[in-house]
Amino acid sequence: MDRSGLADFLRRRRAQLQPSDVGLPPGARRRTPGLRRDEVAALAVMSTDYYTRLEQSRGPRPSAPLLAALARALRLSDDERDHLFHLAGQPPPPRTSTAAHVSPGLLYILDRLTDTPAFVVSDLGEVLARNRMSVALSGDVAARPGRARNNTWLWFTEPDGRSRFPREDWDRLSRTHVADLRATHGRRRGDADVEELVADLLTRSAEFARLWAEHEVMVRRADHKRIIHPAVGTVDLLCEVLSSEAVAQMLVVLHPRPGSPARDQLDLLRVIGTQDLTAGEVAGR
């Protein structure tokens, strides 16, 4: 591990970013250019102390998931991400069409969607990044490890999470999850991540096994959701899905259904979410 090289790289990339580059308000006048350390730490979902030690060449060797989070927080390109891994003494992730590294282009668009929920998801249903409005509406699943950030896995293995959706929508949402995964399985049959997810779901969920046997197929290009929020009530939203075939990732934008009170609810949620983030001194997603 090249501690001094890693520290220098982190400092220089942090200095090149402005708050607006990562979807943050400018805030008070800054004494030095770039993001603050606590802002990068919050974006990467790690403690400020740990990140500070990395920049001071005295932190422990970061794990691969932590490096991936730093790469997203600092909006690194694929080459810069690989360099980050090399400096930390870790092999960089393979550059495949299903890479979990979100491209700077998708993150750029995500950061500028400030008044409506949006997130980036893989073709397996793994949430890779959320904007602040999506976190305020649904929580930050992207900050969880492993399958705990996979929407399909959570839907069938942690049924308590369904309480955020009206019960009458459950069957439709279950079928949508399974049909979309079936399309991915057909397209990427034999890939280990796909086969393992399907096999484990078949073992863990009788509902999934029953729906999987029906062999329904549907690529999710648009959808609608009603999400129950404890502060603003049930928010009726349409989902627009923008696909990036190069990395098998999708940018999902949730916007108000015409004629519903969802616009006013999102405006209120934006204020509530901003207050919560300010109170907790969190500058991240």
Side-chain angles (χ1 to χ4, degrees):
M1 173 177 173
D2 183 353
R3 294 182 186 276
S4 61
L6 176 63
D8 182 69
F9 185 64
L10 291 174
R11 288 193 301 267
R12 291 180 182 276
R13 288 300 173 270
R14 177 169 63 84
Q16 292 175 358
L17 287 174
Q18 299 302 316
S20 60
D21 294 330
V22 296
L24 297 176
R29 179 177 296 178
R30 293 165 185 259
R31 292 175 294 179
T32 58
L35 297 180
R36 297 191 299 265
R37 285 172 175 166
D38 64 305
E39 291 172 329
V40 175
L43 288 167
V45 196
M46 67 178 65
S47 72
T48 302
D49 177 68
Y50 183 88
Y51 179 76
T52 299
R53 283 187 285 147
L54 289 177
E55 280 204 2
Q56 294 176 345
S57 304
R58 57 188 182 89
R61 186 170 76 165
S63 65
L66 194 150
L67 289 169
L70 279 173
R72 289 193 295 269
L74 294 170
R75 303 319 193 233
L76 301 184
S77 67
D78 286 349
D79 291 337
E80 290 170 333
R81 179 206 60 180
D82 290 353
H83 183 63
L84 177 70
F85 273 75
H86 288 308
L87 290 173
Q90 297 274 17
R95 295 197 184 191
T96 66
S97 61
T98 58
H101 179 60
V102 183
S103 71
L106 282 180
L107 287 173
Y108 180 87
I109 299 171
L110 183 68
D111 291 336
R112 274 146 186 78
L113 296 171
T114 59
D115 61 353
T116 194
F119 56 92
V120 178
V121 64
S122 75
D123 62 349
L124 284 182
E126 180 182 357
V127 178
L128 304 174
R130 289 184 181 272
N131 67 2
R132 298 175 78 194
M133 282 294 290
S134 180
V135 173
L137 179 64
S138 304
D140 196 3
V141 176
R144 300 178 182 179
R147 283 186 180 165
R149 60 175 179 260
N150 186 295
N151 281 332
T152 303
W153 177 260
L154 293 174
W155 182 261
F156 290 104
T157 63
E158 295 187 15
D160 289 347
R162 297 189 183 191
S163 61
R164 296 185 295 109
F165 302 90
R167 182 176 290 273
E168 56 268 29
D169 294 351
W170 289 3
D171 181 66
R172 177 182 62 82
L173 292 172
S174 292
R175 290 181 175 277
T176 299
H177 278 298
V178 175
D180 186 70
L181 181 56
R182 173 66 83 170
T184 300
H185 182 266
R187 185 173 63 252
R188 294 177 49 205
R189 190 177 188 90
D191 288 358
D193 55 347
V194 182
E195 299 292 350
E196 289 172 4
L197 177 60
V198 171
D200 291 346
L201 281 168
L202 288 170
T203 301
R204 287 284 300 272
S205 171
E207 180 189 15
F208 178 87
R210 174 177 58 82
L211 294 174
W212 187 258
E214 296 183 12
H215 211 125
E216 294 182 356
V217 182
M218 180 189 68
V219 176
R220 193 180 314 189
R221 295 187 177 89
D223 201 351
H224 64 277
K225 288 184 178 180
R226 293 187 297 165
I227 301 174
I228 303 171
H229 189 277
V232 302
T234 301
V235 188
D236 195 354
L237 298 168
L238 298 175
C239 308
E240 191 68 30
V241 181
L242 309 177
S243 299
S244 175
E245 295 183 1
V247 290
Q249 295 171 358
M250 290 144 282
L251 174 64
V252 181
V253 181
L254 307 180
H255 58 99
R257 181 186 293 275
S260 77
R263 179 69 272 163
D264 291 337
Q265 290 172 302
L266 290 180
D267 289 341
L268 176 58
L269 187 61
R270 185 180 184 187
V271 174
I272 294 173
T274 301
Q275 291 174 342
D276 288 345
L277 288 172
T278 302
E281 297 183 349
V282 175
R285 290 188 300 269

